[in-house]
Amino acid sequence: MHTECFVVDKEHPDQGVLGQAAEFLKRGKLVAFPTETVYGLGANGLDEKAVADIYVAKGRPSDNPLILHISCIEELKRLVAHIPNNAKVLMNAYWPGPLTLVLRRSAIVPDIVTGGLETVGIRLPDSVVARELIALAGTPIAAPSANISGRPSPTSAQAVLVDLEGKIDAVVDAGNCEIGVESTVVDCTTPVPTLLRPGGITLEMLMETLGEVEMDPILSGSFELAPRSPGMKYTHYAPDAPMVLVEGEYPQVLELILKEVSAALAEGKRVGALVSLQTADKLPSGTIPFVYGMRENVEEIAANLYSALRSYDDHSVDVIFAEGISEDGLGLAVMNRLRKASGYRIIKG
């Protein structure tokens, strides 16, 4: 299969070019496209065969639910059975934006989208390209991240093609994504809204808007229940080499990373280090570093995270040591992704 590439401007996309991509979606084809978070792998969300093709292309477990993306709030009504007040508050505050709401689904949403659950995740993205593509397709678009399941999510069209060239029909290239980690997911069907996945809308923002928010126990690694949101149950975001996450306060984290890196180098291993600018210049000679940004600039770290994880696949390293950061604000989302990428191999200072 040849993967067609449609290049558009991020702010002012050519309607003719987007229309060509939308025609692919109308015909049940798979089209990767950018959002403000990461690139998604899109298909007509009401077409069971097209949605099934997403799972095949990604190698994604069938009980891992998908998110439906819409182009305007009016499209939400036919997809859900009820819109509770807490959802309305969040929609008014953060849509369009990097926020997915889990709601009771209507009868038109296929089981294959929800992983068999009676709920569905819905998002109205902030990306102009995404919203206009969805509107032109005339249907909600089911779209997990456009990568092989378990791999780091793509934040550029080039990263999409590394994983999915020849496996999907088209990709819309509008440059790099701004946020770099997937949307925040909030379950609005529970008595108290429940954070299922941290993202660009932070826990602190949710608390300020709603007054009370719970965190799902599965975020701490408890997998007894079926996942209610993408990215909850399975190892995700992982580079090819095994990664160890070092958590704690700075400079204790620095001391531990230097100790672990030095020991691995002494064993003759090729060692990667995913670290802050503060740490990078202190690493021993022979380390292969990737600097994700300043520790204080969590937005920069989030934007660089997945490209950093993917960069090591070109260096054939034996092990990667990653520097943890504070969980304040967007840091909660960054640490959630790093823990999953490491398979919960964690050293704490």
Side-chain angles (χ1 to χ4, degrees):
M1 179 192 301
H2 169 67
T3 301
E4 191 81 27
C5 187
F6 299 105
V7 180
V8 297
D9 181 80
K10 183 179 297 186
E11 299 299 332
H12 305 285
D14 184 288
Q15 294 296 295
V17 175
L18 275 187
Q20 294 179 60
E23 285 299 320
F24 275 69
L25 291 165
K26 290 178 181 180
R27 300 202 309 267
K29 305 297 185 180
L30 300 184
V31 178
F33 64 97
T35 73
E36 70 276 19
T37 57
V38 299
Y39 272 70
L41 179 54
N44 181 342
L46 304 183
D47 180 337
E48 292 188 27
K49 170 61 169 62
V51 174
D53 288 343
I54 291 177
Y55 286 94
V56 173
K58 284 177 59 71
R60 183 182 177 95
S62 60
D63 67 341
N64 200 2
L66 304 178
I67 292 170
L68 289 180
H69 295 67
I70 58 178
S71 66
C72 61
I73 289 179
E74 288 69 28
E75 295 173 12
L76 176 67
K77 297 174 184 176
R78 70 185 183 119
L79 301 175
V80 301
H82 173 62
I83 306 175
N85 287 333
N86 55 38
K88 293 176 182 177
V89 170
L90 290 173
M91 288 158 51
N92 289 334
Y94 301 117
W95 272 10
L99 175 67
T100 295
L101 302 180
V102 174
L103 303 164
R104 297 289 174 192
R105 65 170 174 156
S106 71
I108 70 168
V109 178
D111 287 347
I112 194 169
V113 170
T114 69
L117 300 175
E118 291 306 311
T119 55
V120 61
I122 311 281
R123 181 159 97 89
L124 174 58
D126 189 43
S127 163
V128 174
V129 172
R131 290 203 311 275
E132 293 193 4
L133 176 65
I134 297 164
L136 289 167
T139 183
I141 302 300
S145 55
N147 57 294
I148 297 298
S149 189
R151 294 265 295 143
S153 300
T155 53
S156 69
Q158 291 71 31
V160 172
L161 293 172
V162 167
D163 279 12
L164 299 177
E165 170 73 64
K167 297 181 180 180
I168 64 175
D169 298 281
V171 58
V172 177
D173 183 352
N176 293 339
C177 302
E178 294 88 356
I179 295 176
V181 293
E182 297 83 355
S183 63
T184 301
V185 180
V186 177
D187 187 346
C188 293
T189 68
T190 52
V192 176
T194 304
L195 177 64
L196 302 184
R197 182 177 72 186
I201 304 302
T202 67
L203 177 61
E204 291 87 346
M205 293 164 69
L206 295 172
M207 293 286 288
E208 183 176 349
T209 303
L210 294 173
E212 186 179 8
V213 178
E214 294 182 349
M215 287 183 62
D216 194 283
I218 207 167
L219 291 178
S220 63
S222 175
F223 300 144
E224 286 79 8
L225 302 175
R228 291 184 281 161
S229 164
M232 293 184 73
K233 182 176 181 180
Y234 299 95
T235 299
H236 282 266
Y237 325 118
D240 289 341
M243 189 172 85
V244 178
L245 175 61
V246 182
E247 298 186 11
E249 298 294 326
Y250 209 79
Q252 286 80 12
V253 167
L254 169 62
E255 295 170 2
L256 281 171
I257 288 177
L258 295 180
K259 175 184 174 183
E260 296 295 330
V261 166
S262 297
L265 288 171
E267 293 173 3
K269 293 180 178 179
R270 284 177 57 84
V271 182
L274 180 60
V275 295
S276 66
L277 186 62
Q278 293 94 318
T279 297
D281 63 358
K282 299 177 178 64
L283 292 170
S285 175
T287 311
I288 301 172
F290 192 101
V291 179
Y292 55 40
M294 296 287 291
R295 286 183 62 86
E296 299 80 12
N297 190 342
V298 68
E299 288 78 14
E300 179 186 20
I301 294 172
N304 290 334
L305 181 62
Y306 290 143
S307 60
L309 290 171
R310 283 178 170 270
S311 72
Y312 282 110
D313 294 346
D314 298 326
H315 290 89
S316 300
V317 297
D318 298 308
V319 63
I320 303 165
F321 294 97
E323 177 184 345
I325 62 172
S326 166
E327 292 187 273
D328 292 341
L330 190 56
L332 179 64
V334 170
M335 290 300 291
N336 171 261
R337 301 330 190 258
L338 285 173
R339 286 167 182 149
K340 291 190 70 65
S342 69
Y344 294 92
R345 290 183 291 267
I346 299 171
I347 298 173
K348 294 195 176 185

